[in-house]
Amino acid sequence: KSAQELLLTVAAGRSSPEKAIELPVKDVEFAQYLKATTEFAADNEDVKKKAKEIAGTDRDAWNVARKLAQWTFKNLEWKHVASADAAQTLATREADCSEFSALFIAMARSLGLPARMVTGLAYSGNSFGGHAWVEVWVGKWIELDPTWGTDFVDATHIRDSSNALVTS
């Protein structure tokens, strides 16, 4: 039986883009982070309409990302949800971290902002537990947490690239 190796990388979580990126991002390199999927319903009319309403006329990728994160944080009620897609979450306004993140990603992608889910552990005052947050491409990948309403992640968030943390 071989021992499982756990690699932990600690990096500064507060970041901002070096230069403004205008939406929509059309670079083929990010196509997989822009497309609508079952989980991230970026093509749902209600999701698209809400995203456009939140972004307004702003086309700066980082500004829009922060607006979406703030709206999601302020307008969804945290509740344990077994499973819901972005359109259901938008309709019920009830979500746990996975649904907060999925709705954020769907809205971001509908505006041409590359976005993806990040999973790992987060410290919530007395212990670490499984958590999901998001990452957006705004000239570089930057993490935000729409569940907690932050435009950064810090040492309270441990990204789990290999699933080694969650499974142990």
Side-chain angles (χ1 to χ4, degrees):
K1 188 176 175 180
S2 65
Q4 190 173 21
E5 186 177 301
L6 177 64
L7 176 64
L8 184 62
T9 304
V10 179
R14 292 179 189 259
S15 192
S16 59
E18 282 92 32
K19 63 183 177 105
I21 298 296
E22 189 173 322
L23 297 178
V25 172
K26 294 180 178 169
D27 190 327
V28 69
E29 176 186 351
F30 301 104
Q32 76 183 87
Y33 305 112
L34 290 164
K35 70 180 179 187
T37 65
T38 305
E39 186 178 11
F40 310 127
D43 55 353
N44 176 277
E45 288 306 318
D46 293 332
V47 169
K48 288 168 29 179
K49 182 179 172 190
K50 181 53 71 180
K52 285 178 185 167
E53 180 185 308
I54 295 164
T57 58
D58 200 340
R59 293 292 164 257
D60 178 275
W62 184 232
N63 286 344
V64 169
R66 289 181 294 179
K67 286 178 180 180
L68 292 174
Q70 275 305 302
W71 184 91
T72 307
F73 172 69
K74 289 178 179 170
N75 291 279
L76 298 183
E77 179 185 347
W78 198 97
K79 182 178 182 178
H80 180 72
V81 175
S83 168
D85 65 27
Q88 292 167 322
T89 299
L90 187 57
T92 65
R93 303 285 173 99
E94 296 175 343
D96 61 31
C97 59
S98 297
E99 287 76 26
F100 271 86
S101 297
L103 177 57
F104 174 97
I105 291 167
M107 290 193 298
R109 289 181 177 189
S110 79
L111 296 170
L113 173 59
R116 60 190 181 192
M117 180 108 46
V118 180
T119 58
L121 300 175
Y123 188 75
S124 61
N126 56 7
S127 66
F128 278 92
H131 190 52
W133 58 98
V134 303
E135 197 169 38
V136 294
W137 190 85
V138 291
K140 63 182 178 180
W141 288 103
I142 298 180
E143 296 172 280
L144 305 95
D145 191 335
T147 306
W148 292 7
T150 61
D151 62 2
F152 62 90
V153 298
D154 55 20
T156 61
H157 292 65
I158 301 174
R159 182 187 195 111
D160 186 15
S161 302
S162 67
N163 289 329
L165 282 173
V166 174
T167 56
S168 62

